[in-house]
Amino acid sequence: MNLKKIAAGLTFAMMLPTAAFAHGELWYDAKSHLPQFKKIVVYPIKDLDGQFKIDEDENSESYQINDYFNKRFVRKLKMKTISLGASLKENKDLRRDAEKYQSLYDDVSSEQERGEKVFNTTASDGYIIAQINLDKTEPHLSPSKTVTVQMKSWTEEKGGPNGNRTYDVRNWTVRHTIPAQELMLYHLGLVYNMYNRKGDKIMTYRNAEHTYGDDYGDIIGILGGLFGGRKSKPLTTDNYRVEVFKSIVNEFRKDFEDIKDDFKEKDKKIRIPKTIGFKEINLPKNIGGDEYALKSIYFGMKNSAMEYTDAKVDYDGTGKARYFVQGTLNSYYLDRRWVEPYADTYNRLVSSEESDWYDAKGNKHTKTINRYTTEISDHHGYWHYFANVSGIFYLVDDGGRVLVSHGSNETDDKTADAYLHFLKDFYTKVNAYLTGK
């Protein structure tokens, strides 16, 4: 596989990271002191075309998306926010002096210019802009397929004079055709960028979902109760943007909260007098100039050293490290494979009856006889998404001698998670070496 060495000019990716991966590709510059911000401006969500989605109709998609982002994420920041989206009519400052903020919607030649406008107009510490970067539906057919299914019927007796037993077992096979089914696959992705008052980028985040959306509320509920007690409902071409957007915002909120919580915990950790630094790593050609992937890869490499080892960590190369991390990622990608239609079976209770009987001592007992059979359950074909991360990392000393190596191939539902599995195993070995455990 073709590899590309990270150029020296990519110093932006080497800035101080802090938080653990959870779902999306996250990078954060801790030197910005973001957790200490007192006030930020929240721009409306940008659509694929780069235009802000603004609509004062509370039933509109644009309003619901902006309103949810403000309520579910921004308000968790515990700082004053000036929301320029659909929620502006709930914001007293905007309602009282809307003209004052009108210039913030104007086109700018650079983020530095926008940052200056934001600060001069609102005296905010910074601002955040989220943009939809993936939005499409993919209708496709799950074809019919004929399969052979193993069937079974049996009787279970419990509490009878002969104890518990199973009898009348019968096995047979049937040819069964799974019918064709029209399916809809929904794709939605977002990128988030946060800037300080000078227009310097201090946080990036990218996440996406690819889902068929059946019982979407239940799925999201399992992943963290994101929709509270709301009943599940399938996605449609009319509602998927709002519903999937909510899911991604909740994942973003969780990852962002880790920025503050994880850093505080790691910062309290007692460190051994050994320092880890970082050298270049080789990346797959597909990474190219992908800012979000580049930043998150270096972010994870440094953050995991802090999380999974007891050593000190030289984030920006200003310390006197004696140990260094370097290596190669051979793969870092999200792909999909087609899962063929298939059929399995489930057990169905056909009948149940109870009867009394008496033992030799005249004691009364109750016998239960249950009769079962299997029924066929169809499963349509579908696209299964999976992330793959593979490579080999080394811990070397200041003379270049290899002290620890770790190579593996990891899979998960998202690249950030697969990469974290790789890093955790590597740094567990590193920590054992450095601590002599």
Side-chain angles (χ1 to χ4, degrees):
M1 180 175 290
N2 292 325
L3 300 175
K4 181 177 181 180
K5 186 172 288 188
I6 297 303
L10 293 176
T11 55
F12 63 85
M14 304 297 288
M15 299 174 72
L16 176 59
T18 58
F21 287 119
H23 296 285
E25 294 175 301
L26 173 66
W27 165 82
Y28 162 62
D29 177 14
K31 291 183 294 186
S32 65
H33 304 294
L34 177 56
Q36 284 75 50
F37 279 16
K38 302 299 183 182
K39 181 168 65 172
I40 64 169
V41 169
V42 182
Y43 274 84
I45 306 300
K46 281 188 175 182
D47 215 334
L48 280 172
D49 59 7
Q51 300 299 310
F52 292 118
K53 293 171 67 68
I54 302 173
D55 196 323
E56 294 188 5
D57 179 2
E58 295 185 11
N59 296 316
S60 70
E61 176 184 289
S62 296
Y63 184 95
Q64 292 180 61
I65 284 176
N66 283 300
D67 187 58
Y68 194 85
F69 182 54
N70 185 47
K71 288 180 177 177
R72 294 291 291 177
F73 170 69
V74 175
R75 293 182 184 179
K76 296 292 182 177
L77 300 181
K78 297 181 180 179
M79 65 179 73
K80 183 177 181 180
T81 60
I82 298 176
S83 175
L84 303 180
S87 302
L88 64 85
K89 62 185 181 181
E90 297 180 5
N91 189 303
K92 294 180 180 179
D93 288 341
L94 287 175
R95 188 167 60 241
R96 183 174 59 247
D97 198 4
E99 291 184 4
K100 174 182 177 182
Y101 299 100
Q102 191 60 44
S103 65
L104 299 182
Y105 296 94
D106 295 341
D107 292 336
V108 293
S109 60
S110 67
E111 291 304 328
Q112 285 68 37
E113 180 183 346
R114 193 195 307 275
E116 184 177 352
K117 277 189 175 184
V118 166
F119 180 68
N120 291 337
T121 304
T122 68
S124 296
D125 298 295
Y127 58 98
I128 185 169
I129 299 177
Q131 179 172 358
I132 296 172
N133 70 329
L134 172 65
D135 180 7
K136 68 176 183 178
T137 58
E138 184 181 347
H140 65 92
L141 177 71
S142 171
S144 64
K145 185 176 182 179
T146 300
V147 296
T148 299
V149 182
Q150 183 72 38
M151 305 295 287
K152 181 180 179 180
S153 65
W154 68 98
T155 300
E156 292 182 1
E157 180 179 312
K158 295 182 179 180
N162 298 311
N164 297 336
R165 62 189 183 121
T166 299
Y167 56 91
D168 289 343
V169 178
R170 177 173 170 256
N171 293 284
W172 71 99
T173 60
V174 299
R175 293 289 287 171
H176 172 75
T177 298
I178 303 165
Q181 178 67 43
E182 291 286 348
L183 300 175
M184 182 68 79
L185 182 58
Y186 302 95
H187 308 268
L188 190 73
L190 285 97
V191 293
Y192 306 78
N193 293 297
M194 184 174 284
Y195 305 84
N196 62 17
R197 64 179 63 179
K198 297 179 180 179
D200 299 326
K201 193 176 292 185
I202 58 175
M203 185 189 72
T204 61
Y205 185 86
R206 181 172 63 186
N207 204 352
E209 286 197 16
H210 313 271
T211 178
Y212 287 94
D214 297 328
D215 298 326
Y216 198 68
D218 278 351
I219 294 173
I220 298 302
I222 292 172
L223 294 177
L226 303 181
F227 288 92
R230 203 179 75 179
K231 295 182 179 179
S232 63
K233 62 179 179 180
L235 298 185
T236 68
T237 54
D238 292 328
N239 73 7
Y240 80 91
R241 290 182 185 87
V242 173
E243 299 305 319
V244 179
F245 178 87
K246 290 177 179 179
S247 172
I248 296 176
V249 167
N250 278 282
E251 289 186 356
F252 181 29
R253 176 171 60 86
K254 182 179 183 301
D255 285 353
F256 188 84
E257 287 173 345
D258 287 344
I259 288 176
K260 296 175 289 185
D261 297 340
D262 285 3
F263 184 72
K264 290 178 181 178
E265 292 301 317
K266 297 184 187 78
D267 201 39
K268 296 176 182 177
K269 191 173 184 178
I270 298 176
R271 303 282 171 178
I272 60 176
K274 296 180 180 180
T275 302
I276 297 175
F278 305 91
K279 294 189 175 182
E280 75 281 353
I281 60 173
N282 297 316
L283 295 181
K285 187 177 180 180
N286 68 292
I287 295 298
D290 186 337
E291 175 189 3
Y292 295 92
L294 287 171
K295 285 185 173 181
S296 65
I297 285 171
Y298 274 97
F299 172 80
M301 179 179 68
K302 296 181 177 184
N303 177 72
S304 293
M306 188 175 186
E307 181 172 1
Y308 298 117
T309 77
D310 297 328
K312 298 178 181 179
V313 178
D314 180 18
Y315 288 102
D316 52 12
T318 59
K320 296 181 179 180
R322 289 186 54 197
Y323 305 93
F324 298 89
V325 173
Q326 63 183 39
T328 294
L329 286 181
N330 294 314
S331 65
Y332 182 93
Y333 64 84
L334 181 70
D335 202 351
R336 69 180 189 177
R337 65 179 177 86
W338 176 252
V339 178
E340 290 290 332
Y342 67 96
D344 57 17
T345 61
Y346 63 92
N347 300 335
R348 180 174 68 86
L349 178 63
V350 177
S351 65
S352 180
E353 58 185 60
E354 292 184 350
S355 60
D356 296 332
W357 62 278
Y358 295 85
D359 60 25
K361 296 181 179 181
N363 297 317
K364 181 180 178 180
H365 302 272
T366 299
K367 176 177 67 176
T368 301
I369 297 178
N370 294 327
R371 295 179 178 84
Y372 295 92
T373 188
T374 53
E375 297 286 353
I376 296 175
S377 176
D378 291 334
H379 300 269
H380 300 295
Y382 63 95
W383 286 107
H384 169 67
Y385 280 78
F386 65 95
N388 178 271
V389 173
S390 67
I392 183 167
F393 271 24
Y394 305 96
L395 180 73
V396 300
D397 61 19
D398 49 10
R401 183 169 62 99
V402 174
L403 306 174
V404 177
S405 66
H406 173 74
S408 67
N409 184 83
E410 303 289 345
T411 60
D412 209 302
D413 61 337
K414 296 188 179 181
T415 51
D417 292 320
Y419 182 48
L420 179 59
H421 300 324
F422 176 88
L423 291 172
K424 181 178 180 181
D425 291 343
F426 168 64
Y427 282 117
T428 298
K429 293 181 179 179
V430 168
N431 195 56
Y433 175 82
L434 294 178
T435 58
K437 295 178 180 179

